[in-house]
Amino acid sequence: MSAALRITRLESGLTVASEAMPRVETVSVGAYVSVGTRHEEAAENGISHFLEHMAFKGTERRTAADIAREVEAVGGHINAYTAREQTAYYLKLLKEDLSLGVDILGDILCHSVFLPEEIERERGVILQEIGQANDTPDDIVFDHFQETAFPDQPMGWPTLGREAIIRTLGRERLRAYMRRHYTPSRMVIAAAGAVDHDALVALVRRHFADLPGETPPPPPPARYRGGEFRETRELDQVHIVLGFPGLAYGDPDYYAGLLLSTLLGGGMSSRLFQEVREKRGLVYSIYTFTQPYRDAGLFGIYAGTGAAELAELIPVTLAELRAVQRRIEVDELARARAQVKAGLLMSLESTGARCEHIARHLQIYGRVIPTEEIIRRIEAVSEADILRVAARLFRSTPTLAALGPLERMPGLSEITEKLAA
């Protein structure tokens, strides 16, 4: 563990972590809560995201306008996001304003008042956000992909929620959900940059003393099933996500999966980009992605193409998925390894990314994995590992989501047959 990294676990169960970064004048600080869409019940889908919005809408001491003014008066930035397994609230400030940042985080997470008029106003904002996502095919196709991969379970539900449910969520349900899930055992307060750890711990003790003390139940396990979603729309392009069950954070093949994704579709030198775009001109955008979770994962390929190019795109893509199970070139593995290492090291030069990195590792692994150890794991991945992981992933049950003019789109059974050829 880096000498600059310090971790304190308070008597309440709340974890406080910080990493001092020399020669910076700013600090990023955030509250990272291990709760998200997969913790929701069927009648409250979208409540995690709704709650994230409401945290900025007023406390016992501050109005919504006060929160914004206080942060911006010192030149800071405040934001939040909701994911399937985490909700995060974070600020970036000058180092002398850390106390204000922790004060505001504690205030919004311990003393939000959920005024009825603010709930109604934010309900309208969220419904607009859902409408915007539905009108953005290269965005909403990922929601359809997720729900098809994990049907009939919280892991597959949309993070924004469903319109009919968002219209029903009220003050008491929001308050109850926050009491049930925003507990010390599920929360990490992390900071990175120009930060004194002892001062941070003292601030957290003062401003997070009113968190509820219960231990919330774990979410249901993720159950990948796969399948097919198709929606014909009058669009200029077909938007496709083809995917497979991927690798969880703790999977021994996790880093091999990252390298596989990178060499297959992670950059301009990747196989799919070179073959599909550069040589054949079939797409503007094509890339692969990995999405790990605590107990599951997804590996996917996104492509946007014209209806006329679709008939050629799919066979070419499937041919690359078969080829990557047979041979990996030494130079392309070296490029992928360099890309993954550089991406990690470059991201950790940011106080915000380092802050999130610390919190995520503590919540998933129970420790912050040293950068040197991660680099060693990346370096240890061999050609044989990549071939084995490619076979493991691409011989599994696929998931297909497609939007647009689909007359030339093959079905999932045909895709599965061609993958096995």
Side-chain angles (χ1 to χ4, degrees):
M1 186 170 71
S2 165
L5 176 65
R6 294 183 60 190
I7 300 167
T8 300
R9 289 182 171 86
L10 304 183
E11 299 79 4
S12 65
L14 182 63
T15 299
V16 184
S18 71
E19 185 165 9
M21 298 172 65
R23 296 181 296 279
V24 300
E25 297 297 318
T26 63
V27 60
S28 291
V29 60
Y32 299 86
V33 192
S34 293
V35 62
T37 311
R38 72 174 301 184
H39 298 82
E40 298 170 355
E41 297 175 1
E44 60 186 16
N45 176 218
I47 195 170
S48 301
H49 176 250
F50 204 140
L51 189 57
E52 174 226 309
H53 275 241
M54 288 306 303
F56 297 103
K57 298 305 171 183
T59 70
E60 295 168 5
R61 293 191 289 124
R62 293 178 170 96
T63 66
D66 290 337
I67 294 169
R69 289 187 188 117
E70 287 187 43
V71 174
E72 293 185 357
V74 296
H77 304 279
I78 187 168
N79 211 334
Y81 67 81
T82 306
R84 299 193 183 275
E85 297 186 314
Q86 186 184 59
T87 308
Y89 306 83
Y90 53 94
L91 300 97
K92 184 164 186 175
L93 304 148
L94 297 177
K95 61 184 180 183
E96 58 265 28
D97 298 313
L98 175 63
S99 59
L100 172 66
V102 178
D103 180 358
I104 288 177
L105 285 173
D107 201 19
I108 66 177
L109 296 183
C110 297
H111 305 117
S112 285
V113 291
F114 304 109
L115 295 174
E117 59 270 27
E118 291 288 357
I119 291 175
E120 292 309 311
R121 191 160 25 243
E122 212 56 30
R123 191 192 315 279
V125 171
I126 293 169
L127 291 172
Q128 292 288 341
E129 190 175 358
I130 293 172
Q132 179 175 302
N134 288 333
D135 286 345
T136 310
D138 57 344
D139 183 355
I140 199 65
V141 70
F142 286 91
D143 276 359
H144 294 308
F145 171 73
Q146 185 84 21
E147 188 165 12
T148 305
F150 296 103
D152 306 316
Q153 57 189 295
M155 185 64 90
W157 297 342
T159 298
L160 297 182
R162 304 182 196 279
E163 182 176 336
I165 295 175
I166 296 300
R167 293 187 184 279
T168 69
L169 296 177
R171 184 172 188 262
E172 289 312 309
R173 192 136 203 176
L174 287 163
R175 288 165 61 91
Y177 188 82
M178 192 170 203
R179 285 195 302 269
R180 187 163 73 249
H181 291 290
Y182 278 57
T183 63
S185 63
R186 271 204 174 146
M187 194 177 298
V188 171
I189 310 300
V195 56
D196 176 87
H197 183 76
D198 294 330
L200 175 65
V201 170
L203 289 167
V204 172
R205 285 187 187 277
R206 183 188 319 156
H207 295 295
F208 284 83
D210 295 332
L211 289 172
E214 296 85 357
T215 300
R223 304 180 309 278
Y224 177 92
R225 189 182 306 166
E228 181 176 11
F229 173 89
R230 301 164 70 99
E231 182 180 316
T232 298
R233 288 194 188 185
E234 292 186 9
L235 301 171
D236 290 334
Q237 281 205 313
V238 181
H239 299 271
I240 306 159
V241 181
L242 174 65
F244 305 86
L247 306 171
Y249 280 110
D251 194 294
D253 287 331
Y254 175 75
Y255 292 100
L258 283 181
L259 292 174
L260 170 63
S261 177
T262 301
L263 69 86
L264 183 62
M268 294 175 65
S269 65
S270 67
R271 289 190 179 191
L272 285 172
F273 192 93
Q274 284 295 311
E275 186 66 31
V276 175
R277 173 171 161 156
E278 296 298 278
K279 291 183 182 178
R280 299 174 184 262
L282 297 175
V283 300
Y284 174 73
S285 178
I286 186 167
Y287 58 85
T288 57
F289 62 91
T290 59
Q291 179 56 69
Y293 302 110
R294 290 175 181 267
D295 59 347
L298 289 169
F299 186 105
I301 304 155
Y302 167 82
T305 191
E309 290 77 19
L310 187 58
E312 185 180 358
L313 169 67
I314 298 300
V316 170
T317 301
L318 298 180
E320 290 300 325
L321 296 186
R322 293 193 301 269
V324 81
Q325 299 176 51
R326 296 191 297 267
R327 181 173 177 80
I328 302 295
E329 301 295 339
V330 174
D331 61 338
E332 67 176 341
L333 179 53
R335 280 198 305 271
R337 189 179 281 121
Q339 284 178 262
V340 172
K341 290 193 299 184
L344 169 68
L345 295 173
M346 290 176 185
S347 71
L348 293 181
E349 292 181 354
S350 156
T351 59
R354 191 176 287 259
C355 182
E356 180 167 347
H357 174 84
I358 292 167
R360 186 178 295 276
H361 275 220
L362 287 171
Q363 290 173 323
I364 293 167
Y365 306 113
R367 69 184 182 106
V368 180
I369 301 177
T371 304
E372 297 78 9
E373 181 179 336
I374 297 174
I375 296 297
R376 285 198 302 271
R377 293 186 185 187
I378 295 169
E379 292 282 5
V381 175
S382 67
E383 177 185 347
D385 293 328
I386 301 286
L387 294 173
R388 176 175 46 78
V389 171
R392 172 185 171 185
L393 298 183
F394 304 147
R395 295 177 189 175
S396 303
T397 303
T399 298
L400 174 68
L403 294 175
L406 302 178
E407 293 82 4
R408 300 187 183 187
M409 182 74 201
L412 187 64
S413 59
E414 182 179 347
I415 288 174
T416 303
E417 289 174 7
K418 289 183 177 179
L419 275 171

